[in-house]
């Protein structure tokens, strides 16, 4: 399969991570700690497969490789977002994957939302009846899945997971929905901590990406 075709379709799928800029061959752990005044921190750990980095260098594919690989990439991202700063950054290469860890601070929820989704289409925060509701589109789903693409993605994403946890003031609840808004009772391979001061979502990257009906996470506190 043409590598440009693979990366183009991965990007179009709409998997979120700018927290989390999700793409094939990435494992992500993101912990968001939110204070009552809207400020907080994000601790982001992710590993990028050397295969993905190589794909991004072939045939002019750089424009599809949207993952911030190094410290300079994150500095450019943070500098574009008012109210956000980088606290620390570290990176190591084990020969198979590049492991990055970055800690960011934000002064308000607008900065958090811009980091979660610069387009403003897949992350939203609203206040209703004294409660806050954060909605994140973790995967937009695939209306017409390419069997070859799915087979390739399933193979190269083995061993990579997505984990997102959010610590909130007071008590929080987490629920999953399909793209059409109906409750998602079960996502293959997913594990949830649905209630408490810290709620979390963990799923294998391949299962998340290939779930055709899309996955939307809602956290209320």
């Amino acid at each position: 399969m043409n590598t440009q075709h693979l990366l183009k379709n991965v990007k179009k799928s709409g998997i979120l991570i700018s927290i989390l800029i999700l793409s094939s061959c990435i494992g992500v752990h993101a912990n968001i700690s939110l204070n009552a005044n809207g400020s907080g921190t994000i601790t982001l750990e992710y590993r990028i497969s050397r295969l993905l980095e190589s794909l991004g260098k072939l045939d002019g594919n750089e424009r599809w490789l949207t993952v911030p690989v190094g410290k300079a990439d994150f500095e450019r991202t943070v500098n574009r977002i008012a109210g956000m700063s980088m606290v620390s950054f570290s990176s190591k290469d084990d020969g198979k994957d590049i492991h990055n860890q970055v800690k960011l601070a934000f002064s308000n929820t607008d900065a958090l939302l811009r980091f979660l989704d610069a387009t403003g289409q897949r992350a939203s925060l609203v206040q209703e009846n004294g409660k806050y509701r954060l909605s994140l589109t973790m995967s937009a789903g695939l209306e017409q899945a390419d069997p070859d693409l799915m087979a390739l993605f399933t193979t190269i994403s083995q061993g990579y997971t997505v984990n997102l946890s959010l610590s909130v003031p007071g008590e929080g609840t987490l629920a999953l929905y399909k793209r059409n808004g109906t409750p998602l009772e079960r996502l293959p391979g997913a594990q949830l901590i649905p209630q408490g001061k810290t709620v979390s979502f963990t799923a294998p990257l391949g299962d998340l990406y290939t779930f055709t009906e899309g996955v939307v996470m809602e956290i209320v506190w």
Side-chain angles (χ1 to χ4, degrees):
M1 173 179 290
N2 181 277
T3 55
Q4 182 171 333
H5 176 68
L6 169 63
L7 292 175
K8 181 177 181 180
N9 279 277
V10 167
K11 184 176 181 181
K12 282 186 175 180
S13 73
I15 297 179
L16 178 68
I17 166 185
S18 79
I19 108 181
L20 294 171
I21 307 170
L22 281 186
S23 196
S24 61
C25 308
I26 283 187
V28 180
H29 178 98
N31 179 41
I32 303 172
S33 180
L34 190 62
N35 301 318
N37 66 357
S39 66
T41 59
I42 303 171
T43 301
L44 177 61
E45 301 176 27
Y46 64 99
R47 57 191 179 105
I48 306 171
S49 169
R50 278 292 187 185
L51 173 60
L52 176 61
E53 185 188 41
S54 298
L55 287 176
K57 294 177 180 178
L58 295 177
D59 303 324
N61 284 324
E62 292 90 342
R63 65 186 182 278
W64 303 118
L65 189 59
T66 58
V67 180
V69 174
K71 184 177 180 179
D73 297 325
F74 260 104
E75 288 175 337
R76 283 191 291 269
T77 297
V78 168
N79 288 339
R80 290 194 294 265
I81 302 175
M84 178 159 281
S85 61
M86 185 164 63
V87 178
S88 62
F89 180 90
S90 63
S91 181
K92 65 178 181 179
D93 186 344
D94 65 8
K96 177 186 175 184
D97 296 317
I98 300 171
H99 298 255
N100 289 334
Q101 180 171 325
V102 60
K103 184 173 183 179
L104 307 171
F106 54 92
S107 60
N108 54 69
T109 55
D110 286 343
L112 171 63
L113 289 176
R114 285 198 61 194
F115 183 68
L116 293 177
D117 177 27
T119 69
Q121 298 177 348
R122 299 188 178 96
S124 65
L125 178 64
V126 297
Q127 186 176 13
E128 301 172 332
N129 302 319
K131 295 281 189 178
Y132 288 93
R133 181 184 303 273
L134 175 65
S135 297
L136 299 174
T137 300
M138 304 299 292
S139 171
L142 299 172
E143 296 180 0
Q144 295 181 335
D146 183 324
D148 292 334
L149 176 64
M150 291 300 94
L152 177 58
F153 187 88
T154 299
T155 299
I156 64 179
S157 65
Q158 288 182 1
Y160 294 89
T161 60
V162 175
N163 173 269
L164 173 63
S165 65
L166 178 65
S167 299
V168 297
E171 193 82 0
T173 59
L174 182 153
L176 299 180
Y177 296 87
K178 300 176 185 178
R179 182 180 58 242
N180 63 9
T182 61
L184 177 55
E185 301 296 337
R186 181 179 178 273
L187 177 69
Q191 297 180 350
L192 304 180
I193 298 178
Q195 190 168 358
K197 290 184 177 298
T198 300
V199 295
S200 68
F201 165 86
T202 304
L205 179 58
D207 291 331
L208 179 62
Y209 178 81
T210 57
F211 191 75
T212 58
E213 295 177 281
V215 179
V216 178
M217 180 170 62
E218 287 196 351
I219 301 172
V220 178
W221 69 95

